[in-house]
Amino acid sequence: SGAWTTGGNWNGASAPNNLGIANVRHVAGGNQTAVLSADTTIWELNVSGDGGQAMTVQIDSGQTLTTFAGVNIEPGGAIHLAGSTIDTQYIEILGGTLSGSGSIKTGSGPIPGQVENRVGIVSPGDGVGTLEIEGRFSNGIDGTLEIELGGTVVDTEFDQLLVEGTTSLAGTLDVSLVDLGSGLFDPQVGDLFEILTATEG
């Protein structure tokens, strides 16, 4: 656990730069978090846990992580956006978790990229909130989309995934009810929750 920018936290004298492949691996102890609190550009990012222990990359509010290649979230790995941005060619979820509020920009110029949940979890919201994806979103047959409902007001009381592009949906929709301060939400017949939109269908 520690700051991304601290060189001593890496196998090298400094944090990776725009030519570096950043492998953020759990190595010992309990769950760990690498905190990215400044705009950062790297070539590629791979995140993974180990032996049931999670390794999380947390991107702090207002910060952007840019990769020239892609992002791979492997088993036990997690990326959490706290009002932040990932600008990458693609994200593949291969057993890990993508969560939080903010925006994900994929592809290069007019060519869209993709967030592909092959076998993992996509969980919009930092608590309850909205995750935006520019590019395609694919939820595979072994992928899970987690949505929290705490009321009927979008963004502040239930999660939403907004896709500026196309979606391909399979797998599992896992909905949970949450308490936002006035007790566990009790949805009523007729309540409507627009949890996912896609501008191109």
Side-chain angles (χ1 to χ4, degrees):
S1 292
W4 176 290
T5 54
T6 301
N9 290 335
W10 298 88
N11 290 336
S14 60
N17 59 21
N18 57 0
L19 297 179
I21 296 176
N23 294 310
V24 184
R25 311 292 193 197
H26 182 279
V27 292
N31 297 334
Q32 298 176 346
T33 301
V35 179
L36 195 151
S37 56
D39 290 349
T40 300
T41 300
I42 56 174
W43 189 265
E44 179 180 293
L45 172 61
N46 303 297
V47 187
S48 65
D50 177 58
Q53 302 299 320
M55 182 73 234
T56 300
V57 173
Q58 175 178 305
I59 306 172
D60 281 350
S61 178
Q63 308 308 315
T64 299
L65 172 65
T66 301
T67 74
F68 291 125
V71 174
N72 297 297
I73 310 174
E74 300 164 0
I79 295 180
H80 182 75
L81 287 80
S84 45
T85 301
I86 297 176
D87 189 343
T88 186
Q89 297 302 308
Y90 64 86
I91 295 178
E92 284 202 76
I93 305 165
L94 306 164
T97 301
L98 173 64
S99 66
S101 293
S103 64
I104 298 170
K105 301 176 181 180
T106 66
S108 191
I111 302 172
Q114 178 163 285
V115 174
E116 186 168 6
N117 184 13
R118 291 178 181 255
V119 51
I121 297 170
V122 173
S123 181
D126 192 6
V128 170
T130 299
L131 184 61
E132 300 178 14
I133 296 173
E134 292 183 19
R136 296 183 297 268
F137 172 66
S138 174
N139 201 81
I141 193 169
D142 295 316
T144 298
L145 175 61
E146 290 185 344
I147 297 292
E148 292 182 326
L149 305 179
T152 58
V153 180
V154 68
D155 194 42
T156 60
E157 293 185 343
F158 69 89
D159 292 334
Q160 192 172 52
L161 182 64
L162 306 178
V163 180
E164 189 177 323
T166 61
T167 62
S168 173
L169 299 174
T172 300
L173 174 62
D174 185 0
V175 177
S176 59
L177 305 178
V178 296
D179 181 355
L180 297 180
S182 58
L184 191 66
F185 176 54
D186 181 20
Q188 303 299 304
V189 173
D191 286 348
L192 182 65
F193 308 93
E194 188 176 49
I195 59 174
L196 188 148
T197 66
T199 60
E200 297 179 25

